[in-house]
Amino acid sequence: QVQLVESGGGSVQAGGSLRLSCAASTYIVKFRCMGWFRQPPGKPREAVAAVYNVGTLAHVNSDSVKGRFTISQDNANNTLYLQMDSLKPEDTGTYYCAAADEVRCTAAALAPYLYTNWGQGTQVTVSS
């Protein structure tokens, strides 16, 4: 059973930055896709950003975070990161790390239903 453990959440004022980490209990190079998803209060889970392997690593961000969030991974330490800059109150929510083995995820890396491994989440609160 793969374990994914998120950290780095917290409270910050609008315009601030946070860096989330996701430590995996296995080699992350084995995954076709890894991604960050979030669930705002009272709303369904939504995609934030993903990285997927198509021979080389490619990245995709949701429109709501383009230009502000950056996803990256450290294979040596089996850790996925999400650098979040210029945070807005609407970025508030519980952030989840996820990993997928299925090759289909490379064509739809922001689709949460393709991910079978999930962390417990870390809370991010952005105040205005």
Side-chain angles (χ1 to χ4, degrees):
Q1 182 73 16
V2 174
Q3 289 190 325
L4 301 173
V5 180
E6 302 96 336
S7 62
S11 297
V12 64
Q13 289 192 327
S17 297
L18 285 173
R19 189 192 195 201
L20 304 184
S21 299
C22 171
S25 62
T26 187
Y27 297 110
I28 62 173
V29 293
K30 63 175 283 187
F31 297 118
R32 291 282 186 172
C33 305
M34 293 196 75
W36 287 97
F37 299 82
R38 68 186 180 191
Q39 187 162 16
K43 295 183 178 180
R45 192 171 297 189
E46 61 186 30
V48 176
V51 55
Y52 55 100
N53 191 341
V54 287
T56 60
L57 291 180
H59 305 82
V60 60
N61 287 1
S62 69
D63 289 343
S64 62
V65 305
K66 280 181 181 176
R68 301 188 298 121
F69 291 11
T70 303
I71 187 171
S72 63
Q73 64 184 71
D74 181 348
N75 292 338
N77 291 300
N78 297 310
T79 302
L80 184 73
Y81 298 102
L82 184 68
Q83 177 66 41
M84 306 188 295
D85 298 317
S86 302
L87 282 161
K88 304 175 181 179
E90 51 263 43
D91 294 319
T92 293
T94 303
Y95 282 69
Y96 298 90
C97 167
D101 301 314
E102 189 170 350
V103 67
R104 287 191 300 160
C105 74
T106 60
L110 294 179
Y113 70 90
L114 292 175
Y115 288 79
T116 55
N117 303 287
W118 291 84
Q120 294 301 305
T122 186
Q123 179 66 34
V124 171
T125 302
V126 185
S127 57
S128 57

